Amino acid sequence: MEKIKLGLIGLGTVGTGVYKSVQNFDNIEIAKIAVKNINKPRSVDVPQSMLTDNPYDIVNDPTIDIVVELMGGVEPAWSYIKTAIQNGKHIVTANKELLAKKGEELFNLSEEHNCVVLYEAAIAGGIPLIMPIKTIMAGNKINKIQAILNGTTNYILTKMDVDGASYEDVLKEAQELGYAETDPTGDVEGFDAAYKITTLATIAFNSRTKFENVYREGITKIRKEDMKKANELGYKIKLIASATIDDKNNADVRVHPMLVPQDCTLAHIDYVTNAVAISGYPIGDILLSGPGAGESPTTSSVMGDILSIARAWKTTDYLLPMMRCHHHEISNPVKIDDTYNKYYISITAPNGIGLIAKIGQICAEKDVSLASISSDSDDVTARITVITDKCLERNIKEVIANLDGCTISSLIRVME
């Protein structure tokens, strides 16, 4: 039996998992692996002859059929993938940043050269998501996604909630345990989740979302006081990646913290678990949940993509048509100022007669209705918590700008 030959670019956590898993299959084999340091000690015993420190040895090798890119980032990964496609090789990748920023160019190039690009591992680790949307759910009109797509931030928020700890303390612990990077910016500022929802919205809505149009806000301003108050009000705070689209192709795609009602399943997705809630017609509402990162879950998705190509190998001149990019429209981005949301606002101000009335009056003047307002005050300081009804984001910003003498400790949107 002729074996399909793989070239791996990257032998980190996921690359190591893929290397081990490939040994269990008779129809595929790894021909070459590109690494930064050939002489680095590794947890797997890889023949030295299989290693190279030049990825072009892989993408230009005529004997390699599938290139598995596991290095991450836009460059030089894009240059390697582009060359591989131009040389007629199929691609399996877990690179969410590349997909978000170069997706249109990537899929146009792959179609030009009749190559397949699969990326199940790039969005939600081990959760089967991309293939179900493109195949089993292909007959649905999906119009809404709400998801927890970053395990690091979900771990931090869960620990803050359970332990009553500060963001700074939990981040330090997460770094010590290896859940957070030394530089956690990509996770805690929402970039990772924004990359993922960009691609997920594009696939689900059959209309391309541009990464630069995705609103992004991280978790660094979330306080332990907010966690406590959210619980008292019947919510949990989560970093939510959301996307909605209307019949006029207007897409509201964003990432930011939200107060999630405790009767919502997403409120109970804890620690490093990921979850994706999808709404559409005729399916209604479904939720997919599972491990979103790590060697085993991500390896599972990468191997699934490799084997999908392998099973279709040489059966047709046009492999896996349902998994290819078929969307050419670009969605109309909805600016965050034009969105309607409910809001949790934590306000600190010098205590005095008429303070709550003043807040209410300013809200009324700016067409913001209050669902609830409460105060925890002493003789000197008033600590006021406001939950608004659904209102225009632009109006909330005007309210904040007019609250003279008040400090806005937190402003967090509330999931309905």
Side-chain angles (χ1 to χ4, degrees):
M1 178 173 55
E2 182 183 353
K3 290 191 176 185
I4 296 170
K5 295 187 183 297
L6 311 179
L8 265 61
I9 302 178
L11 192 59
T13 300
V14 180
T16 298
V18 171
Y19 178 83
K20 292 187 289 188
S21 294
V22 165
Q23 315 309 316
N24 298 319
F25 296 91
D26 295 331
N27 60 330
I28 54 175
E29 67 178 5
I30 296 174
K32 204 166 291 183
I33 305 172
V35 295
K36 286 183 179 179
N37 182 356
I38 291 177
N39 298 313
K40 175 183 173 181
R42 305 181 192 282
S43 60
V44 287
D45 186 17
V46 182
Q48 197 77 0
S49 60
M50 191 181 287
L51 300 176
T52 177
D53 58 7
N54 183 5
Y56 284 106
D57 290 343
I58 290 175
V59 299
N60 287 322
D61 186 334
T63 69
I64 288 176
D65 305 302
I66 303 172
V67 171
V68 184
E69 183 271 312
L70 302 170
M71 66 182 299
V74 175
E75 283 294 354
W78 169 234
S79 295
Y80 302 146
I81 288 177
K82 182 163 58 174
T83 303
I85 292 172
Q86 290 168 339
N87 286 331
K89 303 183 190 308
H90 300 294
I91 305 295
V92 173
T93 180
N95 194 332
K96 64 258 182 180
E97 183 179 1
L98 178 69
L99 289 165
K101 293 181 177 179
K102 290 284 189 179
E104 184 174 12
E105 193 174 349
L106 169 64
F107 292 115
N108 286 343
L109 182 70
S110 65
E111 202 62 18
E112 180 185 339
H113 291 274
N114 192 20
C115 295
V116 176
V117 178
L118 299 185
Y119 47 94
E120 189 68 66
I123 310 299
I127 303 174
L129 184 61
I130 307 305
M131 191 167 286
I133 288 174
K134 281 183 165 284
T135 56
I136 297 168
M137 296 174 64
N140 283 269
K141 175 67 175 177
I142 298 172
N143 53 33
K144 184 178 181 181
I145 301 165
Q146 290 179 313
I148 295 171
L149 293 176
N150 183 269
T152 298
T153 51
N154 204 42
Y155 177 86
I156 291 171
L157 292 173
T158 302
K159 289 289 286 184
M160 288 176 67
D161 182 37
V162 172
D163 296 348
S166 70
Y167 165 79
E168 292 78 12
D169 289 344
V170 175
L171 173 61
K172 183 179 179 182
E173 177 188 334
Q175 288 171 322
E176 291 171 351
L177 293 171
Y179 290 131
E181 301 287 344
T182 304
D183 178 3
T185 304
D187 294 319
V188 301
E189 294 293 359
F191 286 99
D192 178 81
Y195 297 145
K196 293 171 179 177
I197 195 64
T198 298
T199 301
L200 184 54
T202 296
I203 297 161
F205 298 157
N206 286 309
S207 185
R208 186 166 300 285
T209 292
K210 297 282 191 178
F211 174 70
E212 56 266 27
N213 294 327
V214 176
Y215 177 81
R216 176 191 52 77
E217 188 179 313
I219 66 167
T220 57
K221 296 179 182 178
I222 302 297
R223 307 170 304 147
K224 61 181 180 182
E225 293 86 353
D226 299 320
M227 287 292 185
K228 181 180 178 182
K229 182 59 70 173
N231 275 295
E232 292 173 1
L233 295 169
Y235 298 93
K236 297 289 184 181
I237 298 177
K238 298 291 182 181
L239 183 69
I240 300 295
S242 71
T244 59
I245 194 166
D246 64 19
D247 292 337
K248 296 180 180 179
N249 201 31
N250 298 311
D252 174 12
V253 186
R254 41 173 146 149
V255 172
H256 53 65
M258 295 192 82
L259 269 68
V260 181
Q262 290 187 16
D263 61 0
C264 174
T265 305
L266 286 177
H268 306 285
I269 303 299
D270 292 331
Y271 298 101
V272 296
T273 303
N274 282 196
V276 181
I278 299 173
S279 300
Y281 178 82
I283 197 167
D285 300 326
I286 65 168
L287 185 133
L288 303 168
S289 179
E295 178 181 322
S296 296
T298 310
T299 296
S300 170
S301 290
V302 171
M303 288 302 302
D305 283 346
I306 292 169
L307 293 170
S308 293
I309 296 172
R311 286 165 185 154
W313 193 254
K314 293 188 176 179
T315 62
T316 174
D317 292 332
Y318 192 72
L319 263 63
L320 303 173
M322 291 191 74
M323 295 306 298
R324 304 212 184 195
C325 173
H326 300 290
H327 39 264
H328 303 289
E329 281 189 327
I330 298 175
S331 59
N332 307 315
V334 177
K335 295 181 180 179
I336 193 68
D337 281 356
D338 297 326
T339 63
Y340 285 83
N341 312 276
K342 295 177 65 174
Y343 299 86
Y344 156 93
I345 311 172
S346 179
I347 303 168
T348 305
N351 201 359
I353 296 172
L355 178 59
I356 290 179
K358 173 187 173 183
I359 294 170
Q361 180 181 353
I362 292 171
C363 287
E365 290 172 354
K366 302 301 179 183
D367 201 24
V368 173
S369 175
L370 302 184
S372 68
I373 184 166
S374 60
S375 176
D376 174 20
S377 308
D378 53 37
D379 292 339
V380 178
T381 304
R383 290 168 291 277
I384 299 166
T385 302
V386 171
I387 300 288
T388 74
D389 287 324
K390 199 170 184 179
C391 59
L392 188 62
E393 171 109 4
R394 185 181 294 106
N395 292 354
I396 276 291
K397 290 181 176 178
E398 290 180 4
V399 167
I400 298 302
N402 282 274
L403 287 175
D404 298 330
C406 298
T407 299
I408 308 303
S409 303
S410 297
L411 174 65
I412 307 172
R413 297 166 191 86
V414 180
M415 182 182 290
E416 294 185 83

